[in-house]
Amino acid sequence: QVQLVESGGGLVQPGGSLRLSCAASGTIFSIINMTWYRQAPGKQRELVAQMTSAGNTNYADSVKGRFTISRDSAKKTLYLQMGSLKPEDSAVYYCKWTIITRPFSSRQDDVWGQGTQVTVSS
């Protein structure tokens, strides 16, 4: 079974930066895409950033220009570099990978990280 372990969350001042990590373990045959979501209390879960296996990226308008999604294939780790942080960025951030775990299979599985808290406050 593939597992995703998130780290890097914490308390940061407005205007500060933070880098979240999402490290995978287990066997992955193919990655369809990798996504960062966030959810603040009382709000719907929001797609923050997404990267396809080809390296194409997509960002929510609210974070575009401030956040950068990237990956280290050798370490099987996804990152979210967060800059110019605002109080409204405060949320629990979740990574999700859509993957294929077996060769010659078209079955896609969603694997979620446990979430990491980001709090932006002065």
Side-chain angles (χ1 to χ4, degrees):
Q1 180 66 262
V2 175
Q3 293 184 321
L4 301 179
V5 178
E6 298 182 41
S7 61
L11 176 64
V12 65
Q13 295 185 181
S17 299
L18 212 57
R19 189 178 76 162
L20 307 183
S21 298
C22 176
S25 63
T27 300
I28 300 174
F29 180 74
S30 180
I31 301 173
I32 305 302
N33 56 55
M34 299 171 290
T35 310
W36 285 100
Y37 293 87
R38 67 186 181 188
Q39 187 165 29
K43 297 183 179 180
Q44 290 184 297
R45 187 167 59 209
E46 174 189 21
L47 191 153
V48 177
Q50 186 172 77
M51 174 178 286
T52 70
S53 60
N56 298 320
T57 59
N58 184 49
Y59 298 91
D61 288 341
S62 59
V63 308
K64 193 172 299 182
R66 300 187 298 119
F67 290 10
T68 301
I69 187 171
S70 63
R71 71 174 180 180
D72 185 327
S73 296
K75 296 180 179 179
K76 295 198 294 185
T77 301
L78 178 73
Y79 301 98
L80 184 67
Q81 181 67 49
M82 310 164 64
S84 301
L85 284 163
K86 307 173 181 179
E88 50 263 46
D89 294 319
S90 297
V92 177
Y93 284 71
Y94 299 91
C95 61
K96 185 194 78 175
W97 293 20
T98 301
I99 62 175
I100 296 175
T101 59
R102 298 181 179 183
F104 315 113
S105 175
S106 61
R107 174 184 169 182
Q108 299 179 15
D109 295 322
D110 290 336
V111 184
W112 288 85
Q114 83 281 6
T116 184
Q117 176 71 52
V118 173
T119 302
V120 184
S121 177
S122 60

